Amino acid sequence: MYTMKTVGPPEGAGQTGELLPAQKLSKADGKRHIAALILARGGSKGIPLKNIKMLAGVPLLGWVLRAAVDSGMFQSVWVSTDHDEIEKVAKAWGAQVHRRSPEVSKDSSSSLETIQEFSRLTPEVDVICHLQATSPCLHPFHLKEALEMITEQGYDSVFSVVRRHQFRWKEIKQGSEEKTFPFNLIPAARPRRQDWDGELCENGSFYFTTTEMLLKEQITQGGKVAYYEMLPEYSVDIDVDIDWPVAEQRVLRFGYFGAPSPEVVRLMFCNISGCLTGGHIFMSVSGEEMVSINIRDTRAIRMLQKEDIEVILLTSDLDPVAKLLTDRLTERTGCQVVQVGDEPLDLLRKMVEEKKLQWKDVAYMGSDQQDVSCLNLAGMSAVPGDAPNVAINASKYTCRKMGGTGALREFAEHILLQKEKAKSHREQHRIDRINF
């Protein structure tokens, strides 16, 4: 039996609260253990380590994991991989890791074989929701509504589709005397686009099924089957490198950036060394210390201040900046400069409390290991593109720019974009409530 579901974003889509570790997700179905599973092999032939390549400041894998965890629909969220770096990224984004065996890590291994291995090793799981890492515009509301087709409507399998308006013709091999012909078109009665419903095609975003279908029937689409139609703007599938720039623009517009908060950001902490500067200190012949600051970054500070976001610059005991330089920075940027110890959180926690803010209202930009606690805790966090992996894995956004070359400007624009999105969402919600 086949059925369908067509959806757009519902009122309040994505507002599911804080991102929780996978092991703390609430029980979604009273009887069954429902798990999300993302397959992320390290040996991608098209794009090396594609699954953790940065897309709009987030590892490709992170987009899907964020949607899965924020949906609150899964008892567990897993990444199946054979690669150490992918494992680190998966754990940093709230997933548990299934280390797949060599038998299902080959170029010839199918997704079905890997999912079946996972199912045999996790017998407590009753429903497996296979999410594709290459579909970065997936939102929590997609997962919630599709999964309810299994938990509430009694379907055994649900998969995602998108509507396409493309006429298909038979391919003719070179040298063949065959003639081509249309599969879904009568040329003499060619319809206008608006008069044709188009066709439903799998978009590869997800495949949900029971473990009984997987292990007994050896299929992911069986039993009582339904499809879940996603709008074209959410149907992004990255297979080759040429897709990356296009996908990046689509994600910036239609991607899921986390549950919006009412104020987004009211306070920003930014390290001077490694973020505002490139970490270089220049010494003059007379012994004077000098640093280089990109004018785009100082303009970024003024952009944030104009939006009533207080910016506080940080210098560390581990890498102190001369007082004369901090005075000049204060004069040039209008920012308070605060010296922190080897664990910035010790002092900054008190500052946040004194300002009667919560960490969800805070943005933090750091560049090294001592920043990890603050990067994890802040509502929005970023590191320059040349930060070490330990900092990159803890941050929510990784800049393309390096420290001292416009990374702060890039993060500031990201903050303001999210603020504008939250503002638009609140305004749309207000209009909907008034009109309906």
Side-chain angles (χ1 to χ4, degrees):
M1 175 180 179
Y2 288 79
T3 190
M4 58 80 70
K5 176 139 180 115
T6 305
V7 299
E11 181 180 319
Q15 298 186 67
T16 56
E18 292 185 48
L19 186 149
L20 300 173
Q23 62 268 28
K24 294 184 179 180
L25 293 173
S26 60
K27 188 84 171 164
D29 182 83
K31 299 178 182 179
R32 293 182 284 184
H33 182 121
I34 301 171
L37 176 65
I38 298 96
L39 308 185
R41 192 169 66 92
S44 172
K45 295 300 181 184
I47 308 173
L49 288 180
K50 171 179 66 178
N51 293 302
I52 55 174
K53 182 177 178 179
M54 289 296 169
L55 179 73
V58 173
L60 179 61
L61 185 63
W63 289 102
V64 177
L65 284 175
R66 178 191 281 157
V69 177
D70 271 15
S71 73
M73 296 298 290
F74 304 107
Q75 279 71 62
S76 56
V77 176
W78 295 80
V79 169
S80 174
T81 188
D82 58 346
H83 198 279
D84 292 342
E85 288 303 313
I86 295 177
E87 177 174 353
K88 290 177 185 177
V89 171
K91 289 179 177 178
W93 284 84
Q96 300 179 60
V97 172
H98 159 240
R99 287 298 294 223
R100 61 174 69 179
S101 68
E103 287 73 24
V104 296
S105 300
K106 305 171 185 175
D107 291 341
S108 58
S109 299
S110 68
S111 296
L112 178 61
E113 291 172 326
T114 308
I115 297 170
Q116 287 175 327
E117 179 187 77
F118 169 80
S119 182
R120 286 191 289 268
L121 293 173
T122 55
E124 70 278 10
V125 174
D126 302 297
V127 177
I128 294 178
C129 301
H130 172 209
L131 315 180
Q132 298 267 44
T134 51
S135 300
C137 286
L138 193 65
H139 281 242
F141 78 85
H142 294 135
L143 301 175
K144 181 176 183 294
E145 294 181 351
L147 191 52
E148 285 174 351
M149 299 175 75
I150 289 180
T151 61
E152 297 181 11
Q153 299 177 37
Y155 290 97
D156 300 307
S157 306
V158 177
F159 60 96
S160 58
V161 299
V162 65
R163 191 173 298 274
R164 302 290 188 199
H165 290 78
Q166 296 171 325
F167 296 123
R168 297 179 294 109
W169 290 73
K170 177 177 172 59
E171 179 184 1
I172 303 301
K173 302 297 183 182
Q174 188 172 4
S176 172
E177 295 183 359
E178 286 185 279
K179 293 183 179 180
T180 189
F181 58 86
F183 287 120
N184 60 347
L185 168 70
I186 300 174
R190 188 182 183 93
R192 299 181 304 166
R193 180 185 177 91
Q194 59 266 38
D195 296 330
W196 183 43
D197 289 338
E199 295 183 328
L200 295 177
C201 306
E202 292 184 20
N203 70 353
S205 288
F206 58 76
Y207 300 85
F208 299 172
T209 192
T210 63
T211 53
E212 182 178 5
M213 283 292 125
L214 283 168
L215 299 179
K216 291 185 179 180
E217 304 296 331
Q218 306 284 308
I219 52 176
T220 58
Q221 295 159 296
K224 186 180 177 184
V225 184
Y227 60 78
Y228 178 92
E229 185 177 351
M230 292 173 62
L231 296 176
E233 53 262 39
Y234 299 112
S235 298
V236 178
D237 187 17
I238 302 175
D239 282 325
V240 294
D241 215 5
I242 197 171
D243 295 337
W244 217 265
V246 176
E248 207 155 54
Q249 292 304 311
R250 183 78 67 86
V251 165
L252 287 171
R253 185 172 180 184
F254 298 110
Y256 174 68
F257 287 85
S261 61
E263 298 298 332
V264 184
V265 169
R266 295 172 60 189
L267 171 66
M268 179 178 178
F269 295 114
C270 177
N271 275 280
I272 295 174
S273 181
C275 296
L276 187 59
T277 74
H280 305 291
I281 296 179
F282 303 97
M283 303 288 293
S284 69
V285 176
S286 59
E288 292 179 314
E289 293 184 353
M290 295 174 287
V291 295
S292 173
I293 298 173
N294 195 300
I295 193 169
R296 287 176 294 176
D297 290 331
T298 57
R299 287 175 179 168
I301 291 173
R302 287 193 286 273
M303 287 166 52
L304 295 171
Q305 291 168 334
K306 187 177 179 180
E307 294 294 322
D308 297 321
I309 298 172
E310 181 182 4
V311 180
I312 296 177
L313 302 177
L314 306 177
T315 179
S316 171
D317 291 342
L318 301 176
D319 189 18
V321 177
K323 186 178 187 307
L324 182 59
L325 290 176
T326 61
D327 290 344
R328 292 293 303 274
L329 282 172
T330 298
E331 179 184 334
R332 187 174 185 85
T333 64
C335 297
Q336 177 186 0
V337 179
V338 174
Q339 186 160 334
V340 296
D342 57 358
E343 179 48 82
L345 184 59
D346 294 341
L347 176 62
L348 301 187
R349 181 184 280 118
K350 296 176 184 177
M351 294 182 66
V352 171
E353 291 173 356
E354 288 170 359
K355 293 177 181 292
K356 296 183 172 19
L357 298 175
Q358 300 179 41
W359 276 92
K360 69 179 180 63
D361 306 315
V362 175
Y364 187 93
M365 189 167 195
S367 62
D368 218 324
Q369 185 165 356
Q370 67 268 20
D371 299 308
V372 166
S373 296
C374 292
L375 290 168
N376 277 318
L377 197 56
M380 298 184 72
S381 61
V383 295
D386 54 351
N389 285 337
V390 65
I392 289 175
N393 289 338
S395 70
K396 298 175 178 68
Y397 184 88
T398 302
C399 299
R400 296 186 191 87
K401 300 289 187 181
M402 309 303 177
T405 64
L408 176 55
R409 174 63 178 259
E410 183 181 339
F411 186 39
E413 290 176 348
H414 178 70
I415 290 171
L416 297 178
L417 175 64
Q418 300 317 305
K419 183 174 183 178
E420 187 61 31
K421 281 188 174 183
K423 179 181 177 181
S424 298
H425 185 276
R426 290 197 304 273
E427 182 64 18
Q428 185 61 50
H429 179 69
R430 184 186 67 79
I431 293 171
D432 290 344
R433 292 292 296 273
I434 289 173
N435 293 341
F436 302 100

